[in-house]
Amino acid sequence: MNTNEAIYEYCLRLGDTSLILAHRLSELCGHGPILEEDIAMQNIALDLVGQSRIILSYAAQIEGKGKTEDDLAYLRDAFSYRNLLMAEQPNTDFAHTMVRQFFMSAYQYFLYTHLHNSADETIKGFAQKSLKETIYHLRHSTDWILRLGDGTDESNMRTQGAVDELQQFIDDLFDADEVDAILLQQKIGADMEQIKKAWHEKVKEVFALAKIKWEPANGGTRKGSRRGIHTEYLGYILAEMQWLQRVYPGNQW
Amino acid sequence: MENNSWPTWEVFTQKKSGAPFEHAGSVKAADKEMALLNARDVYSRRNEAINLWVVLTDNITASTPEDMGPFFDPANDKMYRSPNFYKTPDGIKQIN
């Protein structure tokens, strides 16, 4: 694998993760618990679509086959998608939505902090822009984890349930492979071991304050997003997201 | 969730450094931190503000329509209360 092939894969991972997470949040448009929170979640979704657009455009450019970010978003099947498994997990209830967001925003926060100094100018610019947005996303979801975890018996139970269920997708976040190794060596990518360490410290600190029990399984949980092996949910997301372009190819509005 | 159980907060935004804070609207929130985040999301999602204040609506004391006469009328017939007779340089907009 040469450097350009590695950058292409890497950009798909970054872009697809933001896109699929944005889509999950967009499903809640008009269904937020209160108007203010509805707007907050859609603001985050729009930020994530913006991130995805930048980095998928770059992926299309690197690939050099004359495609656009829309071609990559709307015309790839699930096995070609590289989003993290965590991002595609369903909303279920508000606790699941916020725990997923907290895990993802903390991940993106530490990842973008490292990519901030990338030797690749586009990835560097992407990380710098995205980091500002992510700081806010992390503040928002952290705030909710504290409220829900240290709230009522019901909110604590639901938050604990979401944490216990979603923790099976944590190993997938840090499952570095050849792509990461090539880009780390070229100072383009990030050291996943460092991000993993920082992420665990942050999560542990917040859950302690939020009175959430945190004993993540050490290995043996689900992985595979970097090879396009997804949970059952991604196919349904793509069916909804892509149907218009599939039925009316090239249609614009 | 009972939306009505959360108090209302008044939101004030400052558009640029040195400009006065202006009332933008209100939000519902459980406490001041949440009020600030909600205010940011509702009233400054397109860069409308560089600073925000949130104040619990209950903490604002307002004049009532009945106060209108005694509060405001006496100012109407005393032109010398207004700085209208000072000369100001052209292009000054903030003084009136």
Side-chain angles (χ1 to χ4, degrees):
Chain A
M1 183 181 284
N2 66 34
T3 306
N4 266 0
E5 286 165 350
I7 291 177
Y8 174 72
E9 271 293 314
Y10 202 70
C11 289
L12 291 185
R13 293 171 186 181
L14 294 171
D16 290 350
T17 295
S18 290
L19 181 62
I20 297 302
L21 185 58
H23 187 88
R24 275 302 191 206
L25 288 170
S26 79
E27 292 171 358
L28 292 170
C29 189
H31 299 276
I34 59 164
L35 175 80
E36 288 82 348
E37 185 56 34
D38 198 89
I39 295 174
M41 285 192 288
Q42 299 321 311
N43 280 347
I44 294 173
L46 287 171
D47 285 347
L48 291 167
V49 169
Q51 292 177 12
S52 170
R53 203 161 177 190
I54 294 172
I55 209 71
L56 288 183
S57 300
Y58 186 48
Q61 183 194 326
I62 293 271
E63 190 189 24
K65 291 181 182 169
K67 290 186 195 165
T68 66
E69 73 273 26
D70 284 339
D71 296 327
L72 290 178
Y74 291 124
L75 303 176
R76 275 179 303 146
D77 287 320
F79 54 78
S80 303
Y81 258 75
R82 296 291 182 262
N83 63 281
L84 294 167
L85 301 180
M86 185 75 79
E88 69 200 32
Q89 297 312 304
N91 295 319
T92 311
D93 62 12
F94 191 66
H96 273 79
T97 305
M98 279 305 124
V99 170
R100 183 188 66 208
Q101 194 60 44
F102 173 61
F103 283 157
M104 289 304 308
S105 293
Y107 176 83
Q108 290 182 322
Y109 172 77
F110 292 115
L111 181 59
Y112 296 161
T113 304
H114 278 72
L115 295 180
H116 214 256
N117 301 313
S118 173
D120 181 294
E121 284 301 317
T122 307
I123 292 176
K124 181 178 169 178
F126 160 80
Q128 288 177 346
K129 178 188 177 293
S130 305
L131 184 61
K132 282 185 214 154
E133 298 168 347
T134 307
I135 288 170
Y136 181 77
H137 303 168
L138 182 57
R139 181 174 169 185
H140 174 262
S141 54
T142 302
D143 206 49
W144 272 115
I145 297 300
L146 296 174
R147 286 173 193 287
L148 295 171
D150 192 12
T152 64
D153 289 346
E154 173 81 11
S155 68
N156 177 277
M157 184 195 77
R158 283 178 181 248
T159 309
Q160 186 69 57
V163 168
D164 293 347
E165 191 173 326
L166 290 174
Q167 63 126 341
Q168 62 182 303
F169 304 108
I170 288 167
D171 285 342
D172 183 60
L173 301 177
F174 311 106
D175 187 25
D177 64 0
E178 187 192 359
V179 170
D180 293 277
I182 292 171
L183 296 185
L184 180 61
Q185 202 231 335
Q186 311 240 8
K187 296 188 171 32
I188 293 171
D191 182 351
M192 293 313 289
E193 281 306 310
Q194 280 187 39
I195 292 167
K196 182 177 180 178
K197 191 164 168 285
W199 186 91
H200 273 280
E201 279 170 15
K202 174 74 181 174
V203 168
K204 195 175 162 190
E205 175 200 323
V206 172
F207 282 168
L209 287 170
K211 300 184 179 163
I212 295 292
K213 292 187 213 72
W214 179 236
E215 289 149 4
N218 193 11
T221 60
R222 301 186 66 162
K223 297 182 197 172
S225 70
R226 285 164 180 77
R227 288 170 285 130
I229 299 168
H230 290 276
T231 59
E232 67 189 276
Y233 300 111
L234 184 65
Y236 292 96
I237 294 174
L238 294 182
E240 188 181 337
M241 195 173 85
Q242 296 180 336
W243 76 267
L244 198 138
Q245 279 302 318
R246 299 285 196 184
V247 177
Y248 304 101
N251 203 13
Q252 297 196 339
W253 63 294
Chain B
M1 190 179 294
E2 288 180 39
N3 300 342
N4 293 338
S5 63
W6 287 359
T8 307
W9 301 70
E10 299 303 321
V11 179
F12 297 83
T13 56
Q14 187 185 34
K15 292 188 173 57
K16 59 181 183 183
S17 184
F21 281 75
E22 290 174 6
H23 186 236
S26 58
V27 290
K28 293 268 187 190
D31 61 25
K32 55 189 178 185
E33 172 66 12
M34 191 196 281
L36 203 56
L37 294 188
N38 287 349
R40 180 268 187 195
D41 278 316
V42 178
Y43 294 106
S44 187
R45 52 199 295 249
R46 299 184 188 88
N47 268 333
E48 292 96 332
I50 60 158
N51 262 318
L52 289 170
W53 285 348
V54 288
V55 182
L56 200 57
T57 304
D58 282 351
N59 284 346
I60 292 180
T61 308
S63 58
T64 64
E66 296 82 64
D67 287 334
M68 207 187 276
F71 265 40
F72 306 117
D73 279 354
N76 283 344
D77 57 357
K78 300 180 188 67
M79 287 297 282
Y80 51 83
R81 286 176 185 264
S82 306
N84 290 345
F85 307 106
Y86 289 98
K87 288 199 169 86
T88 53
D90 291 343
I92 296 286
K93 289 179 183 151
Q94 296 292 353
I95 295 176
N96 51 35

